[in-house]
Amino acid sequence: LALGPAEIVGEVWSGRLVLDGSRLLPSDSELLRERTRLRYNGAALVTLVVDEKGRPRDDPRITFEGVLDVQISRVVAQLARARTVSTLRESLAHQPAHIRRDDDALGEAIRVALRRHLFKAVGKKPITRVHVVRLGPADGS
């Protein structure tokens, strides 16, 4: 210690780090928070194929990870999936034209509808991503 009054001469970061694979991350990193949400709530991925006006070309394809327990009953899981597809079809049908023409807005509307449906059905709000695939006119113009 030096003689004289105390003074701040610099700052040193302090906190906890965790080893993630081969790299160190702060223990409060967003990546680790998202993994925790995945662990408790699971994930849902929706692929929605629509035409240029936002009309569905096929049923939404949904992939669940850690949301439905297919080991308990495959029939119950299939029924839950069918109800979910039906809910998304209905949500898409009720979207105004300006939403159906905007990929980001349509994806967000479907994401919210799916999360609400799953919260009512299983009490979870999984991390949800929606991929909107927009097809042009059939004649290629």
Side-chain angles (χ1 to χ4, degrees), residues 29-65:
S29 75
E30 179 59 31
L31 176 64
L32 296 177
R33 279 194 298 273
E34 187 160 319
R35 284 190 188 153
T36 300
R37 286 192 298 268
L38 279 168
R39 180 172 39 151
Y40 288 110
N41 294 304
L45 174 65
V46 179
T47 302
L48 186 63
V49 180
V50 296
D51 66 13
E52 67 277 359
K53 293 183 180 178
R55 296 177 298 217
R57 297 289 292 261
D58 200 356
D59 281 342
R61 301 287 298 207
I62 307 167
T63 301
F64 294 116
E65 294 296 335

Side-chain angles (χ1 to χ4, degrees), residues 19-31:
L19 184 62
D20 179 52
S22 61
R23 60 191 171 154
L24 288 174
L25 296 174
S27 63
D28 62 347
S29 75
E30 179 59 31
L31 176 64

Side-chain angles (χ1 to χ4, degrees), residues 8-129:
I8 297 174
V9 295
E11 291 185 21
V12 175
W13 181 86
S14 67
R16 293 179 187 234
L17 296 175
V18 295
L19 184 62
D20 179 52
S22 61
R23 60 191 171 154
L24 288 174
L25 296 174
S27 63
D28 62 347
S29 75
E30 179 59 31
L31 176 64
L32 296 177
R33 279 194 298 273
E34 187 160 319
R35 284 190 188 153
T36 300
R37 286 192 298 268
L38 279 168
R39 180 172 39 151
Y40 288 110
N41 294 304
L45 174 65
V46 179
T47 302
L48 186 63
V49 180
V50 296
D51 66 13
E52 67 277 359
K53 293 183 180 178
R55 296 177 298 217
R57 297 289 292 261
D58 200 356
D59 281 342
R61 301 287 298 207
I62 307 167
T63 301
F64 294 116
E65 294 296 335
V67 177
L68 301 175
D69 188 355
V70 294
Q71 300 304 328
I72 292 175
S73 170
R74 192 165 295 287
V75 173
V76 170
Q78 288 172 344
L79 183 59
R81 187 178 300 277
R83 284 188 190 138
T84 302
V85 168
S86 176
T87 297
L88 294 183
R89 251 192 267 124
E90 187 177 313
S91 176
L92 181 58
H94 287 93
Q95 297 302 319
H98 72 278
I99 297 289
R100 284 185 280 127
R101 282 193 220 93
D102 180 337
D103 289 356
D104 291 335
L106 181 58
E108 180 62 11
I110 295 301
R111 185 189 75 80
V112 168
L114 178 58
R115 282 176 53 95
R116 284 182 182 154
H117 170 75
L118 290 172
F119 187 72
K120 287 179 187 175
V122 295
K124 300 215 177 261
K125 289 186 175 182
I127 292 176
T128 306
R129 304 286 187 257

